[in-house]
Amino acid sequence: MQIVKRNIELRVDDSLMRVYVASPKAAGKYPGIVFYSDIYQLGGAILRLANYLAGFGYVVAAPEIFHRIEPVGSVIEPDDLGRMRGNDDARRTLISEYDADCRAVIDFLKSDNSVIADKIGTLGFCIGGHLAFRAAFENEIKASVCCYPTGIPSGKLGKGVADTIHRIGEIKGEMLLVFGTQDPHIPENDRLMIINTLENGKIPHKVFSYEAEHTFMRDDGYRYDAAATTAAWGEIIAFLKQMFAV
């Protein structure tokens, strides 16, 4: 499916938040996805992932998660300096600010003429996987895909301690988790804690683990794993298709 791309601006707490939107070219109405990047924001690797998903029939809306700190359009390079910069941006962003951004993107999708208002989901990577997990607390989110989400058991997300692991009961939809078994940022104990908490909360969920490292779905890094990425996308697309019947 061919897609079209655009950038929109949303105002959140008097800060301009750029949102990259990729959607099917064919006229119609489609499910909407709140799409979260990793700490490097909307660089080429992340936009390719967003575009790929849009090609399966979704309106994908990807916000710049550090818009209160970084100038509009800032892309953080995925190197040592970029890692320090992105992590510092994350530490300086309030948990409540992340939540407010989520609300704004959901409201945008609900108001967009090309989106089926009652079919909204979320997908994210790394810190974005954690943000996608938190997005599941919103009533509109029917399906959440969290790819190697960091900081959920520890509460590490932004300024303050995130209460994510303690709010499982607020999830109304279904979850899909993607992990790399060689990921030092989400060790086995953390993975098991997340899974067990979902099970104890009776939250419908699926878990797929691959013999891969952290950020294995970024095609511009040394940890990229094409086979694991292809397998993960197959499960993600099948899950979303089932959830939204597209």
Side-chain angles (χ1 to χ4, degrees), residues 20-33:
Y20 174 84
V21 181
S23 55
K25 182 178 180 180
K29 295 180 79 70
Y30 303 91
I33 302 292

Side-chain angles (χ1 to χ4, degrees), residues 69-105:
I69 300 168
E70 298 282 348
V72 174
S74 295
V75 173
I76 301 173
E77 291 300 318
D79 54 22
D80 287 344
L81 292 178
R83 175 178 50 79
M84 287 185 265
R85 175 178 159 190
N87 282 328
D88 187 57
D89 287 349
R91 284 190 291 266
R92 294 165 59 194
T93 302
L94 294 171
I95 310 300
S96 60
E97 291 174 334
Y98 290 126
D99 293 344
D101 294 347
C102 176
R103 185 69 254 165
V105 178

Side-chain angles (χ1 to χ4, degrees), residues 51 213 237:
N51 294 341
E213 298 183 53
I237 297 302

